[in-house]
Amino acid sequence: SMPGLNTAVGIVALEVYTPDFAILSDTLEQNNISARKKNGQEAVAVWDRQEDAISMAMNAVSQLLEKHVIDPCVVGRIEVGTESNIDMAKSIKSYLMDLMPKNHMDVEGVDNINACYGGTSALLNTIAWCRETGRYGIVVATDTADMDLQDSAWRGASAVAMLVGPEPWIEIHPERSSCFKNTHDFLKPRYSTQITPFIQTKASMTHYLNALDNTIDLLWTKHGIDAGTLDTIVFHGGLCVTFMKLVERHLVKKVCSSNNWDAKFDMARDCASLMGGLYTASLYVNLVSLLHACDPKHQVGRSKENVNHIGLFSYGSGSTATLLHATIHHERAHTINLHSQLNNRENVSFDILSSIVKSKINSSTSDVLPRRTGIYYFDVSKNTTKRKYFKQKSANFGKSIQVRSEGLTTQKDFSPLIEEFSDECSNGLTQQQEGLLLEEDWSRDRIHAGIGLTISSIWWVVSLLTLGNQNSENILLYALVSFCLCYATRLFVDWRIKLGARIYEPVSCSHYLRGCLVYVTYGVIYAIDWNAFLKHWSSIFFGQFIFDSLSLLIFWNDINPDFRRFYSIHHALGLLMTGFWRLPSGVWSRYLTLGVCLWLTSDIWLYAFYLYRHFQGYTQLSRRLMGKAQMVLFLLERLQRISAYCLLALVDASTLVWVILATGLTTDLVDIMFQIKSLWQVHQSLKMLLPDTQPHHDTANYANK
């Protein structure tokens, strides 16, 4: 019989291409671009003018053909969805014909252009064609989210190629609902000099959520399909993870489901947190992320989630939206190497990103990033109207360049680009990568921190041995016990990660856990016997600070730059300060000891808050409430420090008291400088949140497109 509406058609296979380079959110934060705090990103993709939506589509399709299509002549349609084409007339699909046999020209399809929705339009067209003909087609969603430098937290790029036809892995059912309107919330004027799109963030989010509600309701009224019965809904993720979490909360409120959607939402946004804004590819990258997490090989150590019948919500500003439902046939699954690509990316510096943006603005004919073997690229040195794309035959990474992978990446075979420019190259790039210098494993800041922490630690031990009492050896012995217990907390955090806990910064997380345990220990010991506290606090303190100092230096590249800068200074001052307390003579009375105990434990307020955030993120409390809580807890910490100083003022004004007051205030001044900067960033992010009249939408105002 002829194929028809009831023929099972859908996505047979998928492949994803994403650029080989990224910039970590910490690097952007260090340059006053809020990527993690506001957008929830871990990293975003980086590419230069050699790569565009065309080359990325060619790379994705070439992978698909190589792995899943024995005879390309079985493909009778190639259709592309994009909003990033280079030419206003010539389609990206026409370039993809170069991947077909030269005598195979009976291949229908062109481009579908609309913000973020073009890929779904291409998929619906191709599915209808496959049902009509019984043949196979290819759908490509490809985009580059180019941004001005100050908006780099929203950038991203990817191409998803899908083989569509009968006997699918993801069967797309014919029942669907749509919502189309005329809106102006996301625009890219043709002759605009601004790279970043013109975005009305609140309006865009409102249109998105309204379209989502309408399509959910319409799916029920038209087809009798209750969204609550779906195992999950995979949706278009906009430009950042923060927006995805907003949509997740809205869906949980809108749809009553008992299918543990929260866990599946986490699975679906995993890749997007590392890639950035993906436009038409967003929905399908999130689908790939979910499929990867549902693979039995990747469910070891955590509960198995059943994902069989799902919803697929596609949205594009302008506005367009469609809600599909699909069945996943797990027996037809295959491995998608997206996670491997992400793990093998190299991180670039902010200087390199700046040069890439400048080269786009100036239409530079110089390469910025190297290329690996086997990928298609555009030769920018031949900057003509007639664009030609070439396949890299050998890696063009400079032989003299070496690289250190850091953060979320691992070491690659080829020499990568660098994390730091030389002074000579910081004002301009040439085609010769030899001018780029590596940030050494021991950077200047790291060396300075190591010197400062070493000197302060030596001073603490010397002051103990020369100015302390006869129990110096016991103090050092108990400090070793404290050090070992601190190490046990790090092992506990690592154990939690192995069990599936989503802890992105284990070093800082274990630091806050140790701090909370130490401060509770101080309080318990003082409550039992203040003389016992006087005898043992320095051992606990020294063991903790030495472990923290070593952790900072050993895991320097894995730690947030602001965190490592603050705590290297804080710990060095803390060791110097407590060493100076042994210089003057004086009696450690009960009130003096209580003041010191209050001063030492005052950090517990913010430490407990940061520890909660590391283990829970923003899943239990809203972003607005978390920001306000941080400000309140900072004030509580300051009040406890002031109470400690007032208590010290009641003690006889001995030299010892004056030394403790002076060193404590000095340390506090340094702490406050860093903390006020952090609180100011929190204040700025709170200003960007939606109003309290919408408690379930109070995430940061970031475009969903």
Side-chain angles (χ1 to χ4, degrees):
S1 60
M2 290 292 292
L5 188 64
N6 295 322
T7 303
V9 173
I11 301 170
V12 178
L14 301 92
E15 290 297 333
V16 184
Y17 175 81
T18 192
D20 287 329
F21 300 91
I23 186 165
L24 294 178
S25 59
D26 291 339
T27 304
L28 293 173
E29 295 275 358
Q30 196 174 4
N31 289 275
N32 301 315
I33 298 174
S34 189
R36 184 193 302 276
K37 294 176 182 177
K38 292 183 179 180
N39 290 23
Q41 293 296 133
E42 295 298 319
V44 294
V46 173
W47 64 100
D48 64 2
R49 294 186 66 244
Q50 302 171 95
E51 294 197 88
D52 53 30
I54 301 171
S55 67
M56 292 184 193
M58 295 180 75
N59 286 316
V61 172
S62 65
Q63 292 177 36
L64 187 75
L65 293 172
E66 180 181 341
K67 295 180 181 180
H68 306 287
V69 180
I70 298 175
D71 180 10
C73 292
V74 302
V75 176
R77 185 182 188 89
I78 298 177
E79 197 153 351
V80 176
T82 188
E83 59 178 277
S84 310
N85 196 1
I86 304 300
D87 196 281
M88 299 299 294
K90 184 174 171 60
S91 69
I92 293 177
K93 183 276 175 99
S94 62
Y95 288 95
L96 298 179
M97 289 302 297
D98 285 345
L99 303 177
M100 293 284 109
K102 291 188 180 298
N103 61 348
H104 180 45
M105 295 172 284
D106 184 15
V107 183
E108 298 179 1
V110 286
D111 292 359
N112 294 256
I113 299 175
N114 192 93
C116 298
Y117 185 83
T120 297
S121 180
L123 178 63
L124 293 175
N125 292 342
T126 303
I127 285 175
W129 179 86
C130 290
R131 285 199 174 105
E132 176 188 344
T133 64
R135 298 178 65 193
Y136 290 94
I138 289 176
V139 172
V140 186
T142 180
D143 271 308
T144 57
D146 291 289
M147 300 289 164
D148 289 302
L149 187 62
Q150 69 272 17
D151 300 316
S152 294
W154 285 354
R155 67 185 290 114
S158 182
V160 180
M162 296 170 272
L163 181 65
V164 178
E167 298 185 2
W169 177 11
I170 302 100
E171 179 184 350
I172 308 295
H173 298 292
E175 301 85 9
R176 63 179 184 264
S177 57
S178 295
C179 178
F180 284 67
K181 295 186 294 184
N182 180 24
T183 65
H184 298 84
D185 51 298
F186 184 96
L187 301 171
K188 296 180 180 178
R190 182 175 179 184
Y191 298 109
S192 172
T193 57
Q194 174 179 309
I195 301 176
T196 302
F198 291 83
I199 310 172
Q200 297 177 3
T201 54
K202 288 186 179 180
S204 191
M205 283 189 286
T206 300
H207 294 315
Y208 184 109
L209 296 176
N210 285 340
L212 179 58
D213 289 350
N214 287 337
T215 53
I216 288 174
D217 295 340
L218 198 56
L219 194 65
W220 168 252
T221 57
K222 281 180 63 178
H223 306 293
I225 299 172
D226 181 2
T229 63
L230 300 171
D231 293 326
T232 189
I233 293 180
V234 183
F235 53 86
H236 167 67
L239 289 172
C240 64
V241 167
T242 298
F243 173 75
M244 295 180 69
K245 292 183 177 180
L246 182 150
V247 176
E248 290 163 10
R249 291 206 301 274
H250 180 83
L251 277 170
V252 170
K253 180 184 176 184
K254 167 75 177 176
V255 181
C256 296
S257 176
S258 59
N259 292 329
N260 191 20
W261 280 11
D262 286 339
K264 294 152 191 172
F265 287 153
D266 288 343
M267 297 175 184
R269 83 172 101 86
D270 184 49
C271 292
S273 68
L274 304 172
M275 298 170 70
L278 302 177
Y279 293 166
T280 59
S282 175
L283 169 63
Y284 304 101
V285 166
N286 294 342
L287 175 61
V288 167
S289 186
L290 177 67
L291 294 172
H292 174 86
C294 292
D295 189 326
K297 297 193 296 292
H298 304 124
Q299 292 193 339
V300 178
R302 57 182 172 84
S303 59
K304 184 177 180 181
E305 299 292 344
N306 293 318
V307 181
N308 300 307
H309 187 204
I310 65 172
L312 297 170
F313 178 69
S314 180
Y315 178 85
S317 289
S319 66
T320 60
T322 296
L323 177 60
L324 310 166
H325 72 115
T327 298
I328 300 176
H329 299 282
H330 295 281
E331 70 278 6
R332 299 169 181 166
H334 68 85
T335 300
I336 303 172
N337 70 346
L338 176 58
H339 283 74
S340 175
Q341 291 182 57
L342 296 176
N343 288 335
N344 287 325
R345 291 187 307 183
E346 301 296 340
N347 298 323
V348 302
S349 70
F350 189 75
D351 288 325
I352 293 177
L353 177 61
S354 301
S355 299
I356 290 170
V357 175
K358 289 178 183 177
S359 70
K360 179 176 179 62
I361 295 172
N362 300 328
S363 298
S364 170
T365 57
S366 298
D367 298 345
V368 178
L369 297 172
R371 300 180 296 271
R372 64 178 167 88
T373 303
I375 70 165
Y376 288 90
Y377 70 97
F378 168 62
D379 189 348
V380 294
S381 66
K382 300 178 175 62
N383 197 7
T384 62
T385 303
K386 185 179 179 181
R387 299 177 71 87
K388 290 188 177 180
Y389 291 81
F390 305 88
K391 192 170 186 178
Q392 181 68 22
K393 295 182 178 179
S394 60
N396 73 331
F397 291 81
K399 295 182 179 180
S400 63
I401 305 173
Q402 298 176 341
V403 76
R404 166 186 44 75
S405 297
E406 59 177 7
L408 303 170
T409 61
T410 56
Q411 187 67 35
K412 295 180 74 171
D413 295 331
F414 51 79
S415 302
L417 205 56
I418 53 166
E419 185 63 23
E420 188 175 279
F421 261 138
S422 66
D423 291 336
E424 291 78 12
C425 290
S426 60
N427 294 323
L429 290 172
T430 66
Q431 289 181 309
Q432 298 180 355
Q433 263 68 39
E434 290 81 3
L436 305 178
L437 297 179
L438 166 70
E439 179 188 34
E440 299 294 339
D441 283 343
W442 281 87
S443 64
R444 185 179 302 172
D445 287 345
R446 195 177 187 183
I447 292 172
H448 289 169
I451 293 172
L453 291 168
T454 301
I455 292 174
S456 58
S457 301
I458 292 173
W459 158 247
W460 197 94
V461 174
V462 169
S463 67
L464 173 68
L465 297 177
T466 58
L467 304 172
N469 54 36
Q470 62 272 22
N471 294 324
S472 301
E473 291 79 6
N474 288 334
I475 290 175
L476 291 176
L477 179 61
Y478 289 132
L480 179 60
V481 175
S482 173
F483 182 93
C484 294
L485 292 175
C486 289
Y487 180 63
T489 62
R490 175 58 197 265
L491 294 178
F492 171 78
V493 171
D494 291 341
W495 173 70
R496 287 276 299 163
I497 293 173
K498 288 181 180 178
L499 292 181
R502 296 174 66 85
I503 300 173
Y504 289 108
E505 295 184 0
V507 179
S508 54
C509 179
S510 60
H511 169 81
Y512 293 127
L513 177 59
R514 286 193 302 275
C516 290
L517 294 174
V518 165
Y519 302 144
V520 170
T521 303
Y522 284 153
V524 170
I525 294 176
Y526 186 90
I528 295 173
D529 183 359
W530 72 273
N531 283 305
F533 172 81
L534 183 60
K535 180 179 179 181
H536 295 296
W537 78 264
S538 58
S539 297
I540 300 171
F541 174 88
F542 188 62
Q544 177 202 6
F545 268 50
I546 288 298
F547 187 88
D548 282 348
S549 300
L550 289 174
S551 296
L552 282 169
L553 296 175
I554 293 172
F555 301 104
W556 184 267
N557 294 318
D558 299 327
I559 303 173
N560 182 293
D562 288 336
F563 177 95
R564 68 196 187 197
R565 188 181 301 112
F566 168 64
Y567 279 102
S568 58
I569 296 173
H570 173 84
H571 281 50
L573 285 177
L575 291 166
L576 289 171
M577 174 188 72
T578 51
F580 277 115
W581 290 359
R582 298 193 182 94
L583 285 176
S585 58
V587 178
W588 282 76
S589 66
R590 182 166 189 166
Y591 287 113
L592 177 58
T593 307
L594 177 59
V596 170
C597 181
L598 286 173
W599 194 92
L600 290 172
T601 58
S602 60
D603 283 337
I604 194 169
W605 302 100
L606 284 171
Y607 270 50
F609 168 80
Y610 293 136
L611 182 63
Y612 172 85
R613 192 172 67 181
H614 272 283
F615 278 111
Q616 295 293 336
Y618 297 101
T619 58
Q620 304 299 320
L621 298 175
S622 70
R623 185 76 181 246
R624 179 183 294 278
L625 192 55
M626 292 287 277
K628 291 180 177 179
Q630 184 175 352
M631 293 183 179
V632 171
L633 292 172
F634 169 75
L635 293 177
L636 287 174
E637 176 192 289
R638 291 298 107 195
L639 285 173
Q640 185 168 331
R641 290 277 175 101
I642 292 171
S643 300
Y645 292 134
C646 291
L647 193 60
L648 291 174
L650 297 176
V651 182
D652 292 336
S654 63
T655 307
L656 174 61
V657 173
W658 284 114
V659 169
I660 293 175
L661 278 171
T663 52
L665 286 170
T666 301
T667 304
D668 266 347
L669 287 173
V670 175
D671 286 1
I672 288 173
M673 284 193 299
F674 283 96
Q675 288 173 320
I676 287 178
K677 177 184 176 183
S678 175
L679 288 172
W680 175 251
Q681 292 173 342
V682 171
H683 171 71
Q684 292 296 103
S685 66
L686 287 179
K687 289 168 62 179
M688 297 295 291
L689 300 183
L690 290 174
D692 289 330
T693 54
Q694 300 175 352
H696 290 277
H697 302 166
D698 58 355
T699 314
N701 252 344
Y702 296 99
N704 48 60
K705 246 179 41 57

